[in-house]
């Protein structure tokens, strides 16, 4: 059981409120006051460098935040997580995704985990050796992963992040119930050489089951026959009977367990598409990287604990500075799906308003997570980040060594990554603008206020040596634990997702109405929209 402590009743929360009210320094002031600030607020973990110094955290603020973690019993909560207590209380489940990557230690879960990993390895090896043959004896060349949410976002993000590690199999992803995606992805594929992975923890998700049925029909219409299905369809799920009912036999099922949350499942056989695409040994490296970060998280003092520090800084921004969102800005095309992956990881985990005692919460919980890769975002929404009325804390991510030799591109990318953060920190004063105008004999004086940047906008830099599977595993685990720590302090249950249910529930009768099977009662707007859509579709 997790402790249930209303964070607003703690001494440190009150202190942080006072510190926030009295805070009259800028981030630049903090640098001026303390020349060692960068060293103090940056951390090297293996090949990754985390720099938190460009956030408006003074030593006093950090001290109070660390105290908050203690007052909220974070140490006990971390132990509850790793020791398999049923901390997902509203679903009565343990939360043990860390067991999926605990490769260097024998635990009560090792046997079942390694049995499934063996199966994943066998499939990945067979596919890449060209030994997995389709119905016409041609080798499989393409894999289509059909899943949504955690059964899509994690595998898709990782597979694309590790593009340089791709072997002989080309991956595709279908998630949306909108058939357009299915049609586009299947276009050009050959049924003889395509393998479908139906990935669904529950094997009941409407989108996935609809897409799976359509994929089966496509396969049957394009040369395959019923007995060939076993060579072209596999399932990853916790629901054996539903998998069999769909027509996939047990040998073609990869299992995982209810103690793995959907959005934390890429480490399990849900990662099959990753392992098949990058090869099993690289998949194992991903797990090892995450395990390393797990050990750091479990064993390090909070003041040196990278996910804990990131979480506490986020709490300062969210609850005391009242910033509402958090941008994730990877300066790397390979990491383009990281923001959407983190949207689910963070917002489905911490978008809650009832505390662990069942009471309505009176303070802010999970932030809005959003972002796009740099430099694209610079030409779209950075205007608001630099000069808008909202303050957006940003995580800037950069890979020091690219996987290509176009150095000129990389130098430019790097300079933008650094310059944006410097601009957010320092801004540009009225005086600086005046000097610039004078020098250039440029625009008239009226334009000065528009060219001023206030600066003092917080950012965190994450600089990674290489985007290897190991380093990526570490990075993902860093974010997972950051989210966990915040959920503990906000006194919420981070591992359920009841908020997605109502929409699903209401869609069922509406579907019946749309298909003209029954009529229903709705609010006036929905009723009119149903009528209008039926009219338009005639
Ligand atoms: O509807 C939300 C959700 O349950 C997510 O938490 C989950 O990752 C996704 O749907 C997919 O679920 P499944 O893997 O069971 O198809």
């Amino acid at each position: 059981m997790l402790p249930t402590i209303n964070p607003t009743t703690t001494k440190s929360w009150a202190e942080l409120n006072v510190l926030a009210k009295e805070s009259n320094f800028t981030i630049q002031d903090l640098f001026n006051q303390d020349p060692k600030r960068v060293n103090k607020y940056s951390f090297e973990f293996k090949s990754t460098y985390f720099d938190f110094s460009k956030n408006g955290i003074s030593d006093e603020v950090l001290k109070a935040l660390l105290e908050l973690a203690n007052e909220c019993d974070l140490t006990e909560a971390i132990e509850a997580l790793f020791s398999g207590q049923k901390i997902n209380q509203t679903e009565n489940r343990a939360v043990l995704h860390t067991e999926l990557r605990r490769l260097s230690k024998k635990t009560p879960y090792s046997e079942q985990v390694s049995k499934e990993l063996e199966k994943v390895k066998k499939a990945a090896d067979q596919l890449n050796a060209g030994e997995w043959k389709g119905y016409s004896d041609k080798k499989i060349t393409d894999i289509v992963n059909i899943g949504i949410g955690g059964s899509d976002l994690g595998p898709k993000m990782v597979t694309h992040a590790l593009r340089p590690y791709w072997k002989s199999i080309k991956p595709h992803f279908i998630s949306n119930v909108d058939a357009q995606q299915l049609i586009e992805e299947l276009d050009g594929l050959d049924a003889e050489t395509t393998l479908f992975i139906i990935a669904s923890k529950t094997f009941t998700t409407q989108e996935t089951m609809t897409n799976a049925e359509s994929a089966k029909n496509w396969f049957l219409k394009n040369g395959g026959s019923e007995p060939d299905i076993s060579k072209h369809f596999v399932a990853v799920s916790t629901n054996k009977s539903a998998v069999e009912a769909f027509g996939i036999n047990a040998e073609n099922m990869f299992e995982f367990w209810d103690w793995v949350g959907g959005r934390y499942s890429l480490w399990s056989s849900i990662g099959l598409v990753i392992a098949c695409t990058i090869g099993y040994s690289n998949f194992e490296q991903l797990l090892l990287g995450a395990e390393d970060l797990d050990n750091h998280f479990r064993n390090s003092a909070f003041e040196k604990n990278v996910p804990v520090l990131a979480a506490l800084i986020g709490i300062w921004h969210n609850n005391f500075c009242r910033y509402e969102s958090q941008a994730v800005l990877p300066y790397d095309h390979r990491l383009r799906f990281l923001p959407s992956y983190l949207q689910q990881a963070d917002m489905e985990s911490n978008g809650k308003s009832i505390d662990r005692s069942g009471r309505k919460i009176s303070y802010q919980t999970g932030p809005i997570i959003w972002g796009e890769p740099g430099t694209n975002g610079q030409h779209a929404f950075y205007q608001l980040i630099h000069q808008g009325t909202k303050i957006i804390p940003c995580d800037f991510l950069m890979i020091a060594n690219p996987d290509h030799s176009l150095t000129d591109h990389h130098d430019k990318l790097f300079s933008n990554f650094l310059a944006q953060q410097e601009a957010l920190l320092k801004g540009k004063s009225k005086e600086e603008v005046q000097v610039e105008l004078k020098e250039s004999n440029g625009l008239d004086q009226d334009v000065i206020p528009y060219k001023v940047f206030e600066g003092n906008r917080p950012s965190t830099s994450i600089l990674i040596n290489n985007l290897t599977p190991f380093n990526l595993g570490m990075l993902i685990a860093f974010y997972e634990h950051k989210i966990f720590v915040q959920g503990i302090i906000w006194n919420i249950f981070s591992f359920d997702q009841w908020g997605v249910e109502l929409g699903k529930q209401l869609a069922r009768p509406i579907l019946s109405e749309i298909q003209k099977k029954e009529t229903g009662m709705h609010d006036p707007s929905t009723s009119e929209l149903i009528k209008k859509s039926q009219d338009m579709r005639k």
Side-chain angles (χ1 to χ4, degrees), residues 148-151 200-202 205 208 262-263 344 348 497 500 504:
I148 196 164
S151 303
S200 173
K201 179 173 170 178
T202 54
T205 304
T208 302
R263 54 194 173 275
Q344 187 200 15
E348 204 172 73
Q497 56 285 315
V500 301
K504 291 186 195 172

Side-chain angles (χ1 to χ4, degrees), residues 386-388 391 423-428 452-457:
H386 285 289
Q387 287 187 318
I391 305 283
L424 289 171
L425 167 70
K426 294 200 328 203
K428 192 193 275 182
V452 168
F453 289 69
E454 283 175 8
N456 195 30
R457 294 179 181 227

Side-chain angles (χ1 to χ4, degrees), residues 94-375:
V95 177
L96 279 169
H97 47 280
T98 50
E99 284 297 322
L100 300 166
R101 54 217 194 193
R102 213 157 162 202
L103 302 188
S104 52
K105 200 165 178 236
K106 268 232 157 313
T107 76
Y109 299 89
S110 303
E111 206 177 313
Q112 51 183 328
V113 169
S114 49
K115 201 170 134 227
E116 281 314 301
L117 281 180
E118 267 307 311
K119 272 182 85 174
V120 168
K121 179 178 182 325
K122 196 169 156 210
D125 289 352
Q126 273 183 347
L127 280 160
N128 283 298
E131 287 163 12
W132 189 313
K133 302 272 174 52
Y135 66 84
S136 61
D137 224 29
K138 286 190 187 161
K139 58 184 182 197
I140 297 294
T141 55
D142 292 82
I143 288 189
V144 181
N145 188 80
I146 298 183
I148 196 164
S151 303
D152 168 69
L153 292 164
K156 184 169 75 178
M157 184 274 284
V158 171
T159 304
H160 285 281
L162 298 174
R163 179 73 179 79
Y165 292 83
W166 288 12
K167 296 193 176 298
S168 56
I169 305 287
K170 187 156 186 257
H172 309 262
F173 294 86
I174 298 177
S175 53
N176 203 323
V177 77
D178 180 350
Q180 194 60 38
Q181 189 188 19
L182 177 107
I183 292 163
E184 286 179 17
E185 289 301 328
L186 296 185
D187 186 28
L189 290 187
D190 187 342
E192 289 177 77
T193 56
T194 300
L195 175 71
F196 291 93
I197 300 176
I198 315 299
S200 173
K201 179 173 170 178
T202 54
F203 230 72
T204 56
T205 304
Q206 185 194 53
E207 292 89 336
T208 302
M209 298 329 295
T210 307
N211 281 323
E213 283 298 342
S214 297
K216 191 155 71 171
N217 292 338
W218 174 87
F219 175 74
L220 295 174
K221 268 197 209 131
N222 283 277
S225 64
E226 288 284 348
D228 302 328
I229 285 181
S230 62
K231 291 182 175 156
H232 292 268
F233 283 79
V234 300
V236 184
S237 186
T238 59
N239 186 350
K240 201 165 167 201
S241 53
V243 168
E244 284 174 340
F246 177 81
I248 293 177
N249 56 33
E251 298 117 68
N252 281 351
M253 178 179 164
F254 296 78
E255 219 186 320
F256 65 114
W257 309 275
D258 73 356
W259 41 265
V260 181
R263 54 194 173 275
Y264 297 88
S265 64
L266 70 90
W267 320 100
S268 71
S269 38
I270 284 287
L272 179 64
V273 62
I274 307 172
C276 294
T277 309
I278 63 172
Y280 182 78
S281 59
N282 285 322
F283 182 66
E284 201 174 66
Q285 283 297 312
L286 182 84
L287 304 182
L288 288 168
E291 185 185 17
D292 242 38
L293 202 289
D294 291 343
N295 293 335
H296 163 78
F297 176 56
R298 194 175 183 180
N299 302 321
S300 308
F302 292 162
E303 59 271 25
K304 291 197 180 114
N305 194 316
V306 181
V308 170
L309 291 169
L312 293 176
I313 292 169
I315 285 177
W316 171 250
H317 289 154
N318 191 60
N319 296 92
F320 301 98
C321 306
R322 299 180 190 279
Y323 307 151
E324 297 221 312
S325 80
Q326 164 75 54
V328 178
L329 309 168
Y331 275 63
D332 197 294
H333 180 69
R334 292 167 295 176
L335 289 174
R336 63 195 176 283
F337 296 118
L338 184 68
S340 50
Y341 163 76
L342 286 177
Q343 273 176 341
Q344 187 200 15
D346 202 320
M347 293 166 83
E348 204 172 73
S349 297
N350 287 343
K352 313 278 165 71
S353 52
I354 300 295
D355 74 10
R356 292 199 291 268
S357 312
R359 279 190 293 260
K360 179 100 177 99
I361 281 170
S362 61
Y363 45 90
Q364 288 291 310
T365 60
I368 300 155
I369 306 290
W370 61 286
E372 277 290 320
T375 58

